[in-house]
Amino acid sequence: MSKPKVFEKPIGVKDYLPHAVSRLRHIEGRVLACMSAWGYEQIMTPTIEYYDTVGVASSTSDQKLFKLLNNRGTTLVLRSDMTTPIARVASSLLKEAEHPLRLSYHSNIFRAIEEEAGREAEFFQTGVELIGDASAEADAEVVALAIASLQAAGVGRFKIAIGHVGFLNGLLEETLNGQPEIQEELKSCLLRRDYVGYREQLRQLQLGTELERGLEGILRLRGGQEICDQALELSSNETAKASIRHLCEIWDVLNAYDVCEHVLIDLTMIGDFSYYTGMTFEGYAAELGFPVASGGRYDNLLSQFGRPAPATGFALKTTRILDLIRTGQGEEKKRILIGYDAQSREGALLAAKRYREQGDVVVTERVENWDNWAPGASGAPLPVTYKGNSYSAVVPFQSSRIKGGTV
């Protein structure tokens, strides 16, 4: 294997230049402010965790975990999601806190990937966890907050598709009882959105026309509240029916939030983590093929850390939103360029301090040759570009000419 060149990076990671960082921080700040307005408090967890605790509980396959050894030979992992570390904190440091807990975060996430387009080994997420509330109201709250967060991030057109793990589990349990391997194959097709493969699997099973038509019919169960009524007629399994009734309750709450125009029910949704136990959802922007948000209910995860509690939450794929939102860098601050010579240094730097205290961005430069300095200093109209940067004001502190500049 050849040695990497000095400027090469590992596959799946990237550098963020100043303009991208500015947009990323703008998105992050607006989304976290939105979450804070809904009562969610920000939390930070370590980048590395123990494999035997957070690594195992995360439901991320071993092939997708970045593993390393500490100096004692203990296996560690880079965090592959934020839900599991937060579950650890909620079950330990916050074990005496009263439920429900409302926590938010913005963090980088690490997952080993195949060399395929659109996948990153390190990416950013901004999300929330609502711990200690098993109600449909809590599920609806995180969906409504996901919608508000996408809007705060600047995503214009999007749809949230919601489903329920229990519906598909109940339906397959009723129709393919005692055939867990076949059930998993069908679920895998739905998770990959491989509907052609799903139909082919059904044909190979030779279930009979009526049963095959019923299982194929779930591919058409997408829409509004009317989908719940259709689904209730599709299965007599109590788990499936209870799941649909729960989705109906969520829809009613979302209707009260006045956000149903952004939501559709999709009963093929099963979530991409095995710890999901109930409602799951994904958010898709009109301009991207990848989801920009995902979440769901995970009522069994905290029990792995010794404190059982129901929980639900979501994460925005902040890095994907960054690719989508090409404009917007936060509040535009006044940028000032101050030039000075040796004799006027003190006055120039004091002036720079005053401007910064009032919120302006100030760059100072010692000038040896005033003839070649910024054009704005010699009367050219502002704003000006100097050494590749734009300024809204240029202030010369030239001791032989003036004692101080004004803006």
Side-chain angles (χ1 to χ4, degrees), residues 1 22 31 34 39 63 73 94 118 120 134 144 199 220 222 232 240 250 271 285 289 296 313 340 348 367 385 395 397:
M1 182 176 178
S22 177
V31 171
C34 175
Q63 292 80 6
L94 295 176
E120 294 181 332
R199 291 188 176 97
R220 295 184 291 274
R222 292 194 192 93
L232 285 172
I250 293 172
Y340 62 87
V367 181
T385 299
V395 184
F397 274 74

Side-chain angles (χ1 to χ4, degrees), residues 347-380:
L349 298 184
L350 285 174
K353 180 182 178 182
R354 289 196 298 271
Y355 288 129
R356 288 171 183 141
E357 287 173 346
Q358 67 186 33
D360 298 326
V361 175
V362 182
V363 174
T364 60
E365 179 179 274
R366 177 168 173 169
V367 181
E368 302 294 343
N369 186 348
W370 290 96
D371 294 335
N372 298 326
W373 198 55
S378 57

Side-chain angles (χ1 to χ4, degrees), residues 164-198:
H164 199 293
V165 172
F167 172 74
L168 193 61
N169 287 342
L171 180 63
L172 294 179
E173 178 184 301
E174 178 184 22
T175 55
L176 298 170
N177 189 29
Q179 304 179 69
E181 291 183 2
I182 295 174
Q183 293 182 32
E184 289 305 315
E185 288 176 9
L186 291 173
K187 289 180 186 178
S188 180
C189 289
L190 294 177
L191 182 60
R192 300 193 307 270
R193 295 287 188 263
D194 180 10
Y195 302 135
V196 173
Y198 179 82

Side-chain angles (χ1 to χ4, degrees), residues 47-70 73-80 84 88 304-305:
T47 303
I48 57 174
E49 297 272 2
Y50 283 118
Y51 169 74
D52 288 336
T53 56
V54 169
V56 172
S58 71
S59 294
T60 303
S61 66
D62 266 22
Q63 292 80 6
K64 292 186 177 182
L65 291 174
F66 281 102
K67 298 180 183 178
L68 57 155
L69 296 176
N70 65 10
T74 306
T75 304
L76 309 174
V77 293
L78 299 182
R79 60 181 172 225
S80 62
T84 313
R88 173 185 60 75
Q304 297 189 50
F305 297 98

Side-chain angles (χ1 to χ4, degrees), residues 90-108:
S91 302
S92 55
L93 298 177
L94 295 176
K95 65 181 179 181
E96 304 299 333
E98 186 175 350
H99 284 171
L101 293 173
R102 286 178 168 84
L103 303 172
S104 66
Y105 62 85
H106 175 81
S107 299
N108 52 345

Side-chain angles (χ1 to χ4, degrees), residues 212-233:
E212 181 179 325
R213 186 182 295 122
L215 287 175
E216 188 175 342
I218 68 171
L219 300 179
R220 295 184 291 274
L221 291 178
R222 292 194 192 93
Q225 194 170 19
E226 74 281 358
I227 298 301
C228 292
D229 298 330
Q230 297 175 31
L232 285 172
E233 298 176 359

Side-chain angles (χ1 to χ4, degrees), residues 7 10 12 34 38 61 70 76 97 113 120 127 155 190 201-203 206 226 234 239 241 312 320 341 350 366:
F7 53 79
C34 175
W38 285 56
S61 66
N70 65 10
L76 309 174
I113 49 117
E120 294 181 332
V155 181
L190 294 177
Q201 287 279 352
L202 289 179
R203 282 192 289 270
Q206 298 182 337
E226 74 281 358
L234 195 62
T239 298
K241 285 183 173 294
T312 185
R320 290 179 183 170
D341 53 23
L350 285 174
R366 177 168 173 169

